[in-house]
Structure formats: structure tokens, C-alpha cells
Amino acid sequence: MTDDEDKLGAIYTAEEVAGQLRITRRALIKFARDIGACSRVGRTYLFSAQDKLDIWQGLRAEPIRYHGRAVHVPAHQSPLNVSRSLQALLAKKSKGSAKKADAGLSAHEKRQRLRREREARVARMKSFQPKRMDE
């Protein structure tokens, strides 16, 4: 066994991970592709142990805020939640401008633009570093 095999660890199928996380296979694949936490070989999606942890962190819910009954402590923002917030802000601001920008483009050029935007969002999400509680 080589060092690379030791570092990689166990590999799981989409069915195994979906069963462990108690979500559907399709929801798992869609979510994992959005955050870049899966590998694909043909039509087969594979997940490492770290991918499973990344997906689990992305699925975490924000705490309920009680009015005046507890001190508000900001929750750990997962990269996916940060990405969703950014998408919501950008969608509100650029809705009309995106339609204007797409007016003279072919379908292929529109797909390329959307792919570049998606790659930029994933890059921003991957570079996100949450604040540590001990700092």
C-alpha cells in the first residue's frame, strides 16, 4: 500500500453516503456538486471521508434565535451558507443586467458565462476560512 492510498482512506458510493446522511441520492449529488465535494468517474459519484464531513458541515442549520432569552453567539458559517448568501445578494442586484448582457449571446456563450460564474463561486467558497473561536 502506498502513501497516497493511506492518505486517501476509504471511498464511498453515493448510495452509501446518502444512506448515512439520510437524504436522497439525487439530493446528495446535487449538493455535493454545488460545493465541489465529490469525485466523478463516468456516471458514478465517489466520496472520501473528508467529502462526507464537508457535506455534513454544509447541511448544518443555523441556530434558532430567541428574542432576549439567550445571548446571541454567531454560528459557524459553512462555505455553502456563505455561498448561498452571496448568490442571493448578487441575484437581487444583477437580475436585470444579466438579461441585458445575455441579449446578444448565443446559447453556447450563455452556458460558458454561467460556468465561469459557478467556478468563481466555488473558488470563493473553497477559499473561505471561518474564524476560530479561540482567536
PDB file of all heavy atoms in Angstrom, residues 77-94:
ATOM      1  N   GLN A  77     -20.261  29.737  10.079  1.00  0.00           N
ATOM      2  CA  GLN A  77     -20.824  29.826   8.746  1.00  0.00           C
ATOM      3  C   GLN A  77     -20.135  28.812   7.850  1.00  0.00           C
ATOM      4  O   GLN A  77     -18.930  28.881   7.652  1.00  0.00           O
ATOM      5  CB  GLN A  77     -20.607  31.234   8.175  1.00  0.00           C
ATOM      6  CG  GLN A  77     -21.531  32.268   8.732  1.00  0.00           C
ATOM      7  CD  GLN A  77     -22.896  32.202   8.081  1.00  0.00           C
ATOM      8  OE1 GLN A  77     -23.045  31.730   6.969  1.00  0.00           O
ATOM      9  NE2 GLN A  77     -23.902  32.667   8.781  1.00  0.00           N
ATOM     10  N   SER A  78     -20.892  27.875   7.335  1.00  0.00           N
ATOM     11  CA  SER A  78     -20.297  26.925   6.409  1.00  0.00           C
ATOM     12  C   SER A  78     -20.058  27.631   5.080  1.00  0.00           C
ATOM     13  O   SER A  78     -20.733  28.604   4.752  1.00  0.00           O
ATOM     14  CB  SER A  78     -21.217  25.724   6.203  1.00  0.00           C
ATOM     15  OG  SER A  78     -22.327  26.107   5.433  1.00  0.00           O
ATOM     16  N   PRO A  79     -19.098  27.164   4.296  1.00  0.00           N
ATOM     17  CA  PRO A  79     -18.850  27.781   2.996  1.00  0.00           C
ATOM     18  C   PRO A  79     -20.093  27.776   2.111  1.00  0.00           C
ATOM     19  O   PRO A  79     -20.316  28.716   1.354  1.00  0.00           O
ATOM     20  CB  PRO A  79     -17.753  26.910   2.388  1.00  0.00           C
ATOM     21  CG  PRO A  79     -17.071  26.308   3.551  1.00  0.00           C
ATOM     22  CD  PRO A  79     -18.129  26.127   4.593  1.00  0.00           C
ATOM     23  N   LEU A  80     -20.923  26.743   2.237  1.00  0.00           N
ATOM     24  CA  LEU A  80     -22.120  26.692   1.418  1.00  0.00           C
ATOM     25  C   LEU A  80     -23.093  27.795   1.820  1.00  0.00           C
ATOM     26  O   LEU A  80     -23.675  28.458   0.962  1.00  0.00           O
ATOM     27  CB  LEU A  80     -22.809  25.338   1.540  1.00  0.00           C
ATOM     28  CG  LEU A  80     -24.060  25.221   0.681  1.00  0.00           C
ATOM     29  CD1 LEU A  80     -23.688  25.270  -0.794  1.00  0.00           C
ATOM     30  CD2 LEU A  80     -24.806  23.978   0.988  1.00  0.00           C
ATOM     31  N   ASN A  81     -23.281  28.030   3.131  1.00  0.00           N
ATOM     32  CA  ASN A  81     -24.177  29.091   3.572  1.00  0.00           C
ATOM     33  C   ASN A  81     -23.665  30.458   3.137  1.00  0.00           C
ATOM     34  O   ASN A  81     -24.439  31.325   2.744  1.00  0.00           O
ATOM     35  CB  ASN A  81     -24.363  29.045   5.088  1.00  0.00           C
ATOM     36  CG  ASN A  81     -25.162  27.842   5.530  1.00  0.00           C
ATOM     37  OD1 ASN A  81     -25.884  27.251   4.744  1.00  0.00           O
ATOM     38  ND2 ASN A  81     -25.020  27.468   6.781  1.00  0.00           N
ATOM     39  N   VAL A  82     -22.342  30.660   3.185  1.00  0.00           N
ATOM     40  CA  VAL A  82     -21.768  31.915   2.719  1.00  0.00           C
ATOM     41  C   VAL A  82     -22.027  32.064   1.224  1.00  0.00           C
ATOM     42  O   VAL A  82     -22.414  33.122   0.745  1.00  0.00           O
ATOM     43  CB  VAL A  82     -20.251  31.968   3.023  1.00  0.00           C
ATOM     44  CG1 VAL A  82     -19.603  33.157   2.356  1.00  0.00           C
ATOM     45  CG2 VAL A  82     -20.028  32.008   4.522  1.00  0.00           C
ATOM     46  N   SER A  83     -21.829  30.963   0.494  1.00  0.00           N
ATOM     47  CA  SER A  83     -22.066  30.997  -0.949  1.00  0.00           C
ATOM     48  C   SER A  83     -23.522  31.308  -1.271  1.00  0.00           C
ATOM     49  O   SER A  83     -23.811  32.109  -2.158  1.00  0.00           O
ATOM     50  CB  SER A  83     -21.672  29.654  -1.564  1.00  0.00           C
ATOM     51  OG  SER A  83     -21.988  29.626  -2.926  1.00  0.00           O
ATOM     52  N   ARG A  84     -24.445  30.688  -0.536  1.00  0.00           N
ATOM     53  CA  ARG A  84     -25.872  30.960  -0.771  1.00  0.00           C
ATOM     54  C   ARG A  84     -26.210  32.416  -0.491  1.00  0.00           C
ATOM     55  O   ARG A  84     -26.979  33.041  -1.220  1.00  0.00           O
ATOM     56  CB  ARG A  84     -26.717  30.048   0.113  1.00  0.00           C
ATOM     57  CG  ARG A  84     -26.767  28.631  -0.367  1.00  0.00           C
ATOM     58  CD  ARG A  84     -27.613  27.789   0.554  1.00  0.00           C
ATOM     59  NE  ARG A  84     -27.674  26.411   0.093  1.00  0.00           N
ATOM     60  CZ  ARG A  84     -28.066  25.404   0.830  1.00  0.00           C
ATOM     61  NH1 ARG A  84     -28.440  25.596   2.076  1.00  0.00           N
ATOM     62  NH2 ARG A  84     -28.086  24.181   0.337  1.00  0.00           N
ATOM     63  N   SER A  85     -25.638  32.970   0.576  1.00  0.00           N
ATOM     64  CA  SER A  85     -25.891  34.377   0.898  1.00  0.00           C
ATOM     65  C   SER A  85     -25.382  35.285  -0.211  1.00  0.00           C
ATOM     66  O   SER A  85     -26.052  36.230  -0.613  1.00  0.00           O
ATOM     67  CB  SER A  85     -25.216  34.754   2.217  1.00  0.00           C
ATOM     68  OG  SER A  85     -25.713  33.981   3.267  1.00  0.00           O
ATOM     69  N   LEU A  86     -24.170  34.984  -0.698  1.00  0.00           N
ATOM     70  CA  LEU A  86     -23.615  35.777  -1.794  1.00  0.00           C
ATOM     71  C   LEU A  86     -24.464  35.660  -3.051  1.00  0.00           C
ATOM     72  O   LEU A  86     -24.711  36.650  -3.744  1.00  0.00           O
ATOM     73  CB  LEU A  86     -22.185  35.325  -2.096  1.00  0.00           C
ATOM     74  CG  LEU A  86     -21.130  35.719  -1.080  1.00  0.00           C
ATOM     75  CD1 LEU A  86     -19.808  35.030  -1.404  1.00  0.00           C
ATOM     76  CD2 LEU A  86     -20.949  37.210  -1.050  1.00  0.00           C
ATOM     77  N   GLN A  87     -24.934  34.456  -3.349  1.00  0.00           N
ATOM     78  CA  GLN A  87     -25.771  34.263  -4.525  1.00  0.00           C
ATOM     79  C   GLN A  87     -27.055  35.069  -4.416  1.00  0.00           C
ATOM     80  O   GLN A  87     -27.494  35.685  -5.387  1.00  0.00           O
ATOM     81  CB  GLN A  87     -26.112  32.788  -4.705  1.00  0.00           C
ATOM     82  CG  GLN A  87     -24.963  31.953  -5.193  1.00  0.00           C
ATOM     83  CD  GLN A  87     -25.319  30.473  -5.230  1.00  0.00           C
ATOM     84  OE1 GLN A  87     -26.406  30.072  -4.842  1.00  0.00           O
ATOM     85  NE2 GLN A  87     -24.385  29.664  -5.682  1.00  0.00           N
ATOM     86  N   ALA A  88     -27.653  35.060  -3.220  1.00  0.00           N
ATOM     87  CA  ALA A  88     -28.897  35.810  -3.029  1.00  0.00           C
ATOM     88  C   ALA A  88     -28.661  37.301  -3.217  1.00  0.00           C
ATOM     89  O   ALA A  88     -29.467  37.996  -3.855  1.00  0.00           O
ATOM     90  CB  ALA A  88     -29.464  35.532  -1.641  1.00  0.00           C
ATOM     91  N   LEU A  89     -27.556  37.813  -2.681  1.00  0.00           N
ATOM     92  CA  LEU A  89     -27.256  39.233  -2.839  1.00  0.00           C
ATOM     93  C   LEU A  89     -26.970  39.593  -4.287  1.00  0.00           C
ATOM     94  O   LEU A  89     -27.443  40.608  -4.793  1.00  0.00           O
ATOM     95  CB  LEU A  89     -26.053  39.606  -1.966  1.00  0.00           C
ATOM     96  CG  LEU A  89     -26.288  39.615  -0.467  1.00  0.00           C
ATOM     97  CD1 LEU A  89     -24.974  39.808   0.268  1.00  0.00           C
ATOM     98  CD2 LEU A  89     -27.269  40.714  -0.092  1.00  0.00           C
ATOM     99  N   LEU A  90     -26.192  38.753  -4.948  1.00  0.00           N
ATOM    100  CA  LEU A  90     -25.857  39.026  -6.339  1.00  0.00           C
ATOM    101  C   LEU A  90     -27.071  38.908  -7.252  1.00  0.00           C
ATOM    102  O   LEU A  90     -27.206  39.652  -8.217  1.00  0.00           O
ATOM    103  CB  LEU A  90     -24.753  38.081  -6.810  1.00  0.00           C
ATOM    104  CG  LEU A  90     -23.390  38.288  -6.155  1.00  0.00           C
ATOM    105  CD1 LEU A  90     -22.431  37.183  -6.580  1.00  0.00           C
ATOM    106  CD2 LEU A  90     -22.824  39.641  -6.507  1.00  0.00           C
ATOM    107  N   ALA A  91     -27.953  37.968  -6.965  1.00  0.00           N
ATOM    108  CA  ALA A  91     -29.133  37.774  -7.806  1.00  0.00           C
ATOM    109  C   ALA A  91     -30.038  38.996  -7.751  1.00  0.00           C
ATOM    110  O   ALA A  91     -30.603  39.411  -8.749  1.00  0.00           O
ATOM    111  CB  ALA A  91     -29.895  36.532  -7.371  1.00  0.00           C
ATOM    112  N   LYS A  92     -30.184  39.601  -6.588  1.00  0.00           N
ATOM    113  CA  LYS A  92     -31.042  40.768  -6.451  1.00  0.00           C
ATOM    114  C   LYS A  92     -30.482  41.954  -7.217  1.00  0.00           C
ATOM    115  O   LYS A  92     -31.213  42.703  -7.833  1.00  0.00           O
ATOM    116  CB  LYS A  92     -31.197  41.141  -4.972  1.00  0.00           C
ATOM    117  CG  LYS A  92     -32.007  40.159  -4.186  1.00  0.00           C
ATOM    118  CD  LYS A  92     -32.074  40.563  -2.735  1.00  0.00           C
ATOM    119  CE  LYS A  92     -32.802  39.519  -1.912  1.00  0.00           C
ATOM    120  NZ  LYS A  92     -32.783  39.838  -0.484  1.00  0.00           N
ATOM    121  N   LYS A  93     -29.156  42.110  -7.189  1.00  0.00           N
ATOM    122  CA  LYS A  93     -28.548  43.276  -7.803  1.00  0.00           C
ATOM    123  C   LYS A  93     -28.407  43.152  -9.313  1.00  0.00           C
ATOM    124  O   LYS A  93     -28.509  44.130 -10.019  1.00  0.00           O
ATOM    125  CB  LYS A  93     -27.178  43.537  -7.184  1.00  0.00           C
ATOM    126  CG  LYS A  93     -27.255  43.969  -5.742  1.00  0.00           C
ATOM    127  CD  LYS A  93     -25.882  44.232  -5.196  1.00  0.00           C
ATOM    128  CE  LYS A  93     -25.969  44.648  -3.742  1.00  0.00           C
ATOM    129  NZ  LYS A  93     -24.640  44.865  -3.175  1.00  0.00           N
ATOM    130  N   SER A  94     -28.151  41.953  -9.806  1.00  0.00           N
ATOM    131  CA  SER A  94     -27.796  41.826 -11.215  1.00  0.00           C
ATOM    132  C   SER A  94     -28.861  41.138 -12.067  1.00  0.00           C
ATOM    133  O   SER A  94     -28.577  40.716 -13.163  1.00  0.00           O
ATOM    134  CB  SER A  94     -26.485  41.055 -11.326  1.00  0.00           C
ATOM    135  OG  SER A  94     -26.676  39.740 -10.855  1.00  0.00           O
TER     136      SER A  94
END
